[in-house]
Amino acid sequence: MIRGLQGVEVLVGEGESSQDWYSQYHRFGEIVRRTKELAANHPEIAEFVPSIGKSVEGRHIPVIHITGPQLGQKGPDGKKAKVSSAKNTGKPQIWMNGGQHAREWIAPAAVMYMTEHLLKGYKSNDPKIKHLLDKFEFVVAPVINPDGYEYSHTGNRLWRKNRRKNADGTYGVDLNRNWDNHWGEGGASTRPSATDYQGPSVASEPEVRACQNYILKEMKHRVAGIDFHSYGDMILRSKGWTSKASRDESMLRKMGADMRASIKHAKKGEHSVYKSEMAAGLYPTTGSTDDLMSEQGKMWGHGWTVELPDSDKGGHGFLLPASQILPASTEVHKGLLSFLGDISKEHDKRERMGAEEWRKEVADESMALATKELDEADLTAHLAALGAELEAHELA
Ligand code: 0X9
Ligand code: ZN
């Protein structure tokens, strides 16, 4: 209970009227303004990057870097930081983004909430958050599809894609089908008018190129990432382009289950029940963010997709009422802390064992898990056959 109260204090005690800010959805400009303001109010632990690239219509896509203070401290690479900066500190980096799909308004809102909680938690000496920020550097992009997001406010509330003018006169590429991972291999449409149009070529969209370049070129110490969407209450792990399990399945499954459990326990009686599953279990897609982070990005903690809820009781689809922003954000924030706690443990283990040994252990555990499941499936099939045989015998 005390911990719960502390959370509230962090939000109310800051003079930025946080509770109010999360009582409505905001336009892109306001989200950028607030991100900048949050960074300015926490200069020792945050750095606002105004643009990692521009959208089709020319909007700048900003990110915020967040980490424990660096001045004069030795980073994990043994080098002393020359200036106080929250950017490129040498610490393991975690990417988070919202707003890849325009209409999924809860994603930018929840990402802002989590960002704010990391900053304010550090300031108020929350031990868990302090530990995480001292250890990791976060790179957060609240809205990576600003044109689509704006259009969902001004044109069509249910718009999903960006605002590219396609060759046939229709609009929009589904950004989450356009990334440089197995692009064009299925699970996406080649029809420009389709909501899941993959685009004319791989990474054809400037929004995708901006994020992809930043992740692959600027984030040299990337270890994990989460792409927030809605809706469906889901924690989606690798892989997304094929239903073949990842060689890291044992670790991923545990992380997903832990995250799910911590959301379930976020607030007694008033939580969403998330499912934890392989992304391709929902449906396989190609050209998606999560797989790019795991594969091209080689993040050992993988790329994930989280599908936020469509209400406490279900039924609003993408039109989650603004009154649900805080409940949905609070619980997913608990999930994020669990996710980061697990990443932190694995990180320590990996440092202790060495990357190669660690990788081997995770792969061995995953293999054992698969074998056990095969055995169990065999046993189930065997028992079923036996049952049928007995039944036939009885009937005879
Ligand atoms: O289809 C998507 O892009 C995501 N779902 S949504 O309803 N928000 O559109 C899920 C993507 C999951 N990841 C992969 N399949 N790779
Ligand atoms: Zn989505």
Side-chain angles (χ1 to χ4, degrees), residues 100-101 104 160 176 227-231 305 307 318:
Q100 170 150 225
H101 286 146
E104 300 165 10
R160 165 181 168 103
N176 208 23
D227 177 21
F228 289 91
H229 287 251
S230 75
Y231 60 97
T305 298
E307 299 278 0
F318 299 109

Side-chain angles (χ1 to χ4, degrees), residues 101 103-104 160 174 176-177 229-231 236 239-241 279-280 282-285 288 290-291 305 307 318:
H101 286 146
R103 62 192 172 191
E104 300 165 10
R160 165 181 168 103
D174 182 351
N176 208 23
R177 302 291 181 277
H229 287 251
S230 75
Y231 60 97
L236 300 175
K239 297 176 179 186
W241 66 273
L282 176 60
Y283 43 75
T285 68
S288 300
D290 45 12
D291 289 329
T305 298
E307 299 278 0
F318 299 109

Side-chain angles (χ1 to χ4, degrees), residues 181-183 185-188 236-247 249 252 277-288 290-292 294-295 302:
N181 179 273
H182 295 278
W183 183 86
E185 292 175 22
L236 300 175
R237 63 179 183 271
S238 289
K239 297 176 179 186
W241 66 273
T242 167
S243 40
K244 221 179 115 215
S246 159
R247 63 181 170 181
E249 166 68 4
L252 299 179
E277 61 174 305
M278 283 192 237
L282 176 60
Y283 43 75
T285 68
T286 59
S288 300
D290 45 12
D291 289 329
L292 175 119
S294 302
E295 297 185 349
H302 288 249

